[in-house]
Structure formats: structure tokens, C-alpha cells
Amino acid sequence: MKRSEINLAIKKAKAAMEAINFKLPYFAEWGPEQWNENKDKIDNIKEVMLGWDVTDFGTGDFAHVGAVLFTMRNGNLYNEKAGVPYCEKAIVFMDDEKQVIPYHFHNNKTEDIINRGNGIMEIELYHSTPDGKIDYETENVEVYMDGICCTVKAGEILEVMPGNSITLTPGLYHRFGAKKGSGNLVAGEVSKINDDNLDNVFADEQKRFSDIIEDEPVLHPLCNEYDAISR
């Protein structure tokens, strides 16, 4: 992704969150200079990867595949003294091109994905096979939506309206994003500790963090860039 594309995506995400009065921590506004000024105070933030995360999963097609995320709380599975024993994120999708996060499941993490407001969230589910592939043979999936167990057809598009949520358990393939024409979606995640480096299994080969072409100055560093800017 180009840095200009990342900067613009963050600006649009901030506007979408502001539209529903969803507020972020103060360090969401820090630029590289402020991060560098505070480099002696941010060890915990760096370790649990709080902050902005913009990715197209290596596709080069951010308009259709990807999202803007902001991690507000997280911990470390291998260091109980770092952060907290849970994770919370905001996830923003632009609806004009039906942007989605591609099919994946988690080895460890159980998560609630919540429609925080503005748009309609669409999500598709499949079981996974023992070798980690999508299970196209099993017809139905049982899933909890706001505490109620629902049986849905595998691959069916489920709509999650503002204020509602769906619980995703380990091994459950999911793809989700904004319903086209419903508005820019602000979703949320509340989950067990998030480990983007080891816990994600994608149906197709993906890169969790995008390579970046530096075509303009950094607006806000991403959560995997703090070491580079605080030297």
C-alpha cells in the first residue's frame, strides 16, 4: 500500500467514528514526532501493539479487501504482565466498494464482533476441516448472536444491525465487512488476547501487514512501525 492511501484511509475512518461519537485514546492523534518524544514511555503499547492498523492483506486492492483498525486494549499471551487479559478494537469498513476482511479463523481467540453503528455488517461463516481448510461439506453452522444460539446455513450472508453482535469461536472461518450502500461501518471487536503474528489462519495466502510505499509523510504510525520511528 502507498502511505498516501494509508493516511487517507485513517482520515476517513476517523470521520466515520466521529459521526457516531466514538472516541479514541489521545495517542490516536500522535504523529511520528510525538511518538518519538514519548519513546521511553511506550514499551507496553509497543509490546501489545495498540494503535492504528491499516491493511489490504497484501492484495493491492484495499478498496475491496482490507480495513482500518484501531486496537485500544490488548495483552500478550506469553507475558502476563503486559497489557490486559483481553482485547478491544474498532474496525472501520468503507461501504462504497463492499470492503471485507477475507476468510480466516483463529487458533486461540474467541471474539465478539459488534456493529457499533452507522452501517450494516455482513458476515459469512464456515467450519474448518482438520487440516485447516474451509469445510464446504457441512451444511449448517451453530453460532451465538447476542447470547442466542442460532443455526445458519454455511456461507449464507448474515446481516448484523447496529448494536448487535456475533460470537466467533476458534476454528470458525469468517469473512465480514460493510453492506454496500448502508454507510461506512464502524464495527468493534471484544475478544481474548489478540496475536496477529501467530493466531490467524487464512483460507488463501495473505499478508497480515502490508508492505508500504513511502510516497508522503506518515500521518500516524501503524502498530507494527513503532520501533522504526522511535530510534
Side-chain angles (χ1 to χ4, degrees):
M1 293 184 68
K2 292 181 178 180
R3 181 67 66 178
S4 56
E5 191 177 13
I6 291 170
N7 290 344
L8 179 59
I10 290 176
K11 290 175 183 177
K12 288 182 176 180
K14 289 199 289 186
M17 286 187 274
E18 187 62 31
I20 63 168
N21 202 31
F22 190 102
K23 302 299 184 182
L24 294 175
Y26 60 88
F27 66 82
E29 292 299 324
W30 284 4
E33 184 176 343
Q34 288 163 300
W35 280 102
N36 198 47
E37 288 172 354
N38 289 277
K39 63 183 179 181
D40 296 330
K41 305 175 184 177
I42 63 170
D43 286 350
N44 184 72
I45 287 176
K46 287 166 55 178
E47 182 169 350
V48 302
M49 299 183 74
L50 304 184
W52 291 107
D53 176 4
V54 183
T55 181
D56 65 358
F57 296 94
T59 64
D61 186 16
F62 182 69
H64 297 93
V65 182
V68 178
L69 305 92
F70 191 95
T71 303
M72 294 163 280
R73 298 165 182 86
N74 200 17
N76 186 325
L77 289 170
Y78 315 102
N79 179 8
E80 64 180 17
K81 294 182 179 179
V84 293
Y86 56 91
C87 175
E88 182 180 4
K89 296 182 181 183
I91 311 170
V92 182
F93 299 92
M94 300 295 113
D95 84 329
D96 53 350
E97 296 289 354
K98 192 174 170 57
Q99 194 176 43
V100 299
I101 290 179
Y103 278 119
H104 66 289
F105 70 80
H106 303 289
N107 288 314
N108 176 72
K109 184 172 68 172
T110 295
E111 58 186 350
D112 274 354
I113 303 297
I114 309 152
N115 186 335
R116 294 293 191 190
N118 201 44
I120 296 173
M121 182 167 67
E122 293 186 332
I123 187 164
E124 301 158 77
L125 307 172
Y126 284 97
H127 288 293
S128 58
T129 62
D131 61 352
K133 307 298 183 183
I134 292 179
D135 178 3
Y136 291 110
E137 301 299 321
T138 303
E139 183 177 354
N140 294 322
V141 176
E142 283 194 354
V143 63
Y144 278 88
M145 301 181 71
D146 297 291
I148 296 175
C149 185
C150 303
T151 300
V152 301
K153 187 174 180 179
E156 178 183 11
I157 295 177
L158 307 177
E159 292 189 353
V160 181
M161 305 302 289
N164 295 299
S165 66
I166 186 167
T167 300
L168 305 173
T169 51
L172 185 62
Y173 266 109
H174 49 284
R175 175 173 68 179
F176 66 103
K179 181 177 182 178
K180 189 173 181 179
S182 68
N184 296 330
L185 171 67
V186 181
E189 173 187 322
V190 177
S191 71
K192 295 172 67 176
I193 289 172
N194 179 79
D195 183 351
D196 277 323
N197 293 305
L198 297 175
D199 196 43
N200 301 311
V201 178
F202 289 95
D204 299 311
E205 187 174 349
Q206 309 281 355
K207 294 184 67 172
R208 177 58 184 82
F209 298 106
S210 303
D211 295 326
I212 299 175
I213 300 170
E214 301 293 353
D215 64 331
E216 71 178 36
V218 175
L219 176 64
H220 302 304
L222 303 183
C223 62
N224 60 326
E225 297 184 309
Y226 298 141
D227 285 334
I229 61 136
S230 61
R231 291 172 181 169

